[in-house]
Amino acid sequence: MRIPSKYSRNSDSGFSKSATSFRMKGKTFHALFVLIGMTLIVNCNRSNQSSSATPEVEVAVADTTSVSVFKEYEGNIRASQSVEVTARVEGILEKMLFKEGSYVAKGQTLFVIDPKLYQARVERSQAQLDRAKALLDKAQRDLSRIRPLYAQKAASQLDLDNAEAAVECAEADVEICKVDLLESKITLGYTRVTAPISGYISERMVDVGALVGPGGRSLLATIVRSDTVLVDFPMTSLEYLKSKDRSVNIMCEDGSECFDKLPSYVKITLADGSDYPYNGVVDFADPVVDTKTGTFTVRAEMPNPEGCLLPGENTKVKVLLDVVKGAITVPSVAVRGKGDDKYVFVVSADGVVEKRSVSVGELSGKNIIVKKGLKIGERVATDNFEQLDNGIVVKVVNNSKETV
């Protein structure tokens, strides 16, 4: 018998409600199961964490070595020698025989000034010298004739005196003309302007065709010697004395001062911050202290064979102040605290941590000198400091996380 459609709809509706209720209950049970699972995982993680709560740290061993103590200063580079090339005679500049900015050798001809006027002066001086020599020859011949006559009483004393005086005046005239000729030749030589030193030359200060010399522009160019440069930097008196003691009072075995064996103890940095490959030495210290800053200027001489150091550059200067022999050093990151309250975490052989106060000295690269508080061979923690405290036990690992 067929069921009426209205009953069928009611029946379907009831079935649909039951299915919906069943699905909602299933979702609830599923969420409950997920919550229980997450709780179990968290508890397991906490259990694992509690079972492996021992902190892992890296350590470094306190070592002993000779430490070079450097201090850094702000320095300025300047040329060891800078010479102005000038015109010493007046004239029209005819030639320029160099390339601006190039290297020139000492004695190399750089400029040529019109020499015609000075060549004429040389020729005139030569002619005056020839005339003076001719007059000297005549005076000597006259004297040679007067002397026999004077001996025979045929000439008076006055005649002899006049002849001798004429010879002496002629000899003096010859010497004067020789000096005039030499001066003229020297002046002529100034028309060829040569390099007074070897080095790099600047751009020209005047153009060819211009009047140069006393009545015109005298400065023609500048030459800078750059194979060696000077570095100026300020130091205090105490720092300089420490550095000087290390550089002078080093004795050889025979008791003599080993100046030829002294280490080069001045280092500088290049413009990109890298270390300059050559070292230098302090060769001058200003004897007057600046009353405003309490420092004085110290000068170091640095080799510059490749010419990469340019005058006028600023640089960082590191000066060797002392060499500490047998110093105990540890990585500077191992030392904690501020001011005089410095400490390290010492790790014993069985992993027990001891927070120990130390007294530290100067930095040496990535290490620091420990003056007091550590012994050679003791291990100090270098990381994970937030988990360290006095008396706790740690696991010592290396960089690859393998147990030491």
Side-chain angles (χ1 to χ4, degrees), residues 71-75 233-235 239 315-319 321:
K71 186 164 183 180
E72 192 172 274
Y73 304 89
E74 295 289 336
F233 57 96
M235 290 183 70
E239 291 166 347
T315 184
K316 299 287 186 181
V317 183
K318 296 180 180 178
V319 181
L321 297 183

Side-chain angles (χ1 to χ4, degrees), residues 42-55:
V42 172
N43 290 334
C44 288
N45 289 338
R46 288 179 177 176
S47 177
N48 291 335
Q49 289 178 358
S50 62
S51 63
S52 61
T54 302

Side-chain angles (χ1 to χ4, degrees), residues 5 8 52 127 188 298 333 364 396:
S5 61
S8 297
S52 61
L188 176 63
V298 179
V333 296
S364 176
V396 177

Side-chain angles (χ1 to χ4, degrees), residues 276-298:
Y276 184 60
Y278 300 98
N279 297 335
V281 293
V282 171
D283 67 341
F284 170 77
D286 195 330
V288 179
V289 177
D290 189 339
T291 56
K292 295 181 180 179
T293 62
T295 62
F296 59 98
T297 301
V298 179

